[in-house]
Amino acid sequence: MKEIYKNPALYYILAPAILALWPLLIWGVYLPAAEHNWQVEKSQYGKGQNIITEILALDPDRLKFADSNSASVEFDYASAIEKTAGLCRIPPTNYRLSSGIIITSGGQKSQSAKVGLKGVDVTKFAKFLSTIQLRWANLQCSQVKLTKKKGLPDTWDVDLNFKYYY
């Protein structure tokens, strides 16, 4: 077996033949696969652009929220609730906020708050909750209580408990 490595035919014939097959392999196998992958990526990009356009047509307020995400701002319950309620068209007279102090437990700082929404329909409430949690990733809603107003269709009082982790 050691004698095969000493044979000059291995180095003068076999090695160049293998090196000559390399461009053929690239041309015949790798290049068509890369072309196919490029076409797949291109079609996925086109589909993604169509979906993004459709989302923005259905909910143009997301652009306003995306602009507010670019600024690094310290979290404040009052401003977060005010801004989100404004985007969801909930008047200031229809919500109340009571927030606690910042507590450090096990090296983790957190702050809790209670938010009450009066006389809102389910869609406004759902938009409020999804929007505020989309904007503030470290904000968790720990409890939701819905109370239907008697005699009014789709009018609710909502009590929410939030906890924000710094």
Side-chain angles (χ1 to χ4, degrees):
M1 186 73 181
K2 292 181 182 180
E3 295 166 6
I4 196 165
Y5 297 118
K6 293 180 182 178
N7 188 352
L10 174 72
Y11 299 108
Y12 294 118
I13 298 172
L14 193 57
I18 291 174
L19 290 176
L21 288 177
W22 181 251
L24 294 175
L25 184 66
I26 289 176
W27 178 74
V29 177
Y30 295 128
L31 196 58
E35 181 69 30
H36 173 71
N37 290 342
W38 165 250
Q39 294 301 328
V40 168
E41 292 287 329
K42 194 169 146 184
S43 69
Q44 286 178 349
Y45 177 78
K47 289 177 188 175
Q49 286 293 82
N50 292 339
I51 290 170
I52 289 171
T53 306
E54 194 174 312
I55 288 171
L56 290 177
L58 293 173
D59 191 9
D61 291 338
R62 286 188 184 221
L63 280 179
K64 294 177 193 171
F65 232 58
D67 291 339
S68 66
N69 279 344
S70 62
S72 174
V73 178
E74 185 68 28
F75 178 76
D76 177 41
Y77 273 113
S79 63
I81 299 297
E82 179 184 352
K83 183 184 276 187
T84 307
L87 283 173
C88 298
R89 294 180 181 87
I90 299 172
T93 57
N94 285 13
Y95 67 86
R96 66 177 167 16
L97 167 69
S98 63
S99 61
I101 60 171
I102 297 174
I103 299 171
T104 303
S105 174
Q108 177 75 38
K109 291 174 22 175
S110 65
Q111 184 180 19
S112 60
K114 293 183 180 188
V115 177
L117 303 174
K118 293 188 305 184
V120 295
D121 58 15
V122 172
T123 56
K124 279 186 183 178
F125 156 66
K127 184 175 180 181
F128 175 83
L129 186 59
S130 66
T131 303
I132 198 165
Q133 287 190 317
L134 175 71
R135 171 66 174 101
W136 302 101
N138 295 333
L139 182 67
Q140 295 180 356
C141 182
S142 57
Q143 184 179 7
V144 176
K145 181 181 174 190
L146 291 158
T147 308
K148 180 148 177 53
K149 289 210 168 193
K150 293 185 179 180
L152 298 173
D154 196 27
T155 303
W156 302 79
D157 288 338
V158 182
D159 294 318
L160 302 153
N161 291 343
F162 287 107
K163 192 163 201 169
Y164 184 79
Y165 294 96
Y166 291 92

